Amino acid sequence: MHEDVERILLTEAQIQAGIDRVAREVTAVYRGQAFTVVSVLKGSCVFASDLIRRIPIPLELAFVSASSYGEGVESGRLEVNFFPAESEIQGRDLLLVDDILDTGRTLSRLVDEMRRRGARSVRTCVFLDKPARRATPLSADFRAFEVDNLFVVGYGLDFAGHYRNLPYVGALKRECYERPRSAAR
Ligand code: PRP
């Protein structure tokens, strides 16, 4: 797995420092207010679990599952696999947490859906922001890092379902995402 990484873009120490900063920003905004962190599965599970443990004020946790089905490295049709329960959305202040803001289609759709389903407010928090890829105009309210338009994996981010368990963020070797999917490790 590690041998498929061209270079490390964010070390574990850099990641933790970035999350500390975002956690302070989130805490400052929500102090004194009940809110719910909604982790967008699967990618954000690693980030969300580190982030919430650095937020020293009361919060609730919920999950939404969305996937883009596309060929190779392009994002395609978006499917929302499941939403939080109605009671976890209606009248609530939600913080949608995702691992990467790429084209913006996933978070735009989820923000709209959460509002439509009665959320009182919806903010967004992303681990990585790749503004070069944006197709929908969306800025995250909180973000840990901006990254260049490279194929990044690790710390929750996958290619073909793998590499999420790398403890750092790395750029995947071109030969790994250009080889046939059946050969991906
Ligand atoms: C990835 C990532 C974000 C989304 C960002 O999810 O976790 O949710 O794509 O891309 P966008 O800004 O272009 O919409 P993916 O659909 O790969 O599912 P996963 O989280 O299960 O990996």
Side-chain angles (χ1 to χ4, degrees):
M1 189 171 62
H2 295 277
E3 65 274 15
D4 292 346
V5 173
E6 180 77 52
R7 66 190 165 96
I8 293 177
L9 301 173
L10 294 168
T11 65
E12 290 184 67
Q14 287 172 318
I15 290 170
Q16 297 315 318
I19 295 174
D20 278 342
R21 178 179 47 75
V22 171
R24 284 195 298 272
E25 293 170 11
V26 169
T27 302
V29 167
Y30 286 101
R31 192 178 288 284
Q33 177 188 354
F35 75 112
T36 301
V37 167
V38 182
S39 166
V40 182
L41 298 175
K42 300 175 187 172
S44 81
C45 68
V46 181
F47 174 48
S49 64
D50 274 351
L51 179 70
I52 61 170
R53 286 178 291 171
R54 286 169 169 75
I55 299 176
I57 55 173
L59 61 80
E60 290 185 54
L61 183 60
F63 298 94
V64 63
S65 169
S67 335
S68 292
Y69 296 97
E71 287 302 309
V73 297
E74 285 306 313
S75 77
R77 189 165 54 92
L78 179 71
E79 296 220 341
V80 182
N81 306 310
F82 62 80
F83 283 96
E86 237 178 67
S87 61
E88 293 178 300
I89 300 176
Q90 279 181 1
R92 302 294 189 113
D93 295 298
L94 305 181
L95 179 63
L96 284 171
V97 171
D98 210 347
D99 56 344
I100 188 161
L101 178 54
D102 192 22
T103 66
R105 291 192 190 104
T106 303
L107 277 183
S108 295
R109 162 95 184 271
L110 292 178
V111 168
D112 289 349
E113 285 279 357
M114 295 302 176
R115 289 191 177 131
R116 200 176 61 75
R117 288 165 183 250
R120 190 166 71 165
S121 71
V122 186
R123 290 190 177 94
T124 55
C125 175
V126 297
F127 174 57
L128 300 182
D129 184 10
K130 217 189 239 188
R133 291 262 306 160
R134 203 77 86 249
T136 302
L138 181 83
S139 310
D141 295 291
F142 308 93
R143 70 169 184 191
F145 300 99
E146 182 175 320
V147 285
D148 293 334
N149 191 13
L150 300 165
F151 203 101
V152 290
V153 291
Y155 200 72
L157 293 135
D158 75 310
F159 171 65
H162 293 88
Y163 307 105
R164 295 193 201 273
N165 52 323
L166 287 172
Y168 51 79
V169 173
L172 194 61
K173 286 181 180 167
R174 180 174 286 270
E175 72 226 41
C176 296
Y177 57 82
E178 287 185 345
R179 71 189 171 202
R181 180 167 291 232
S182 58
R185 278 175 291 180

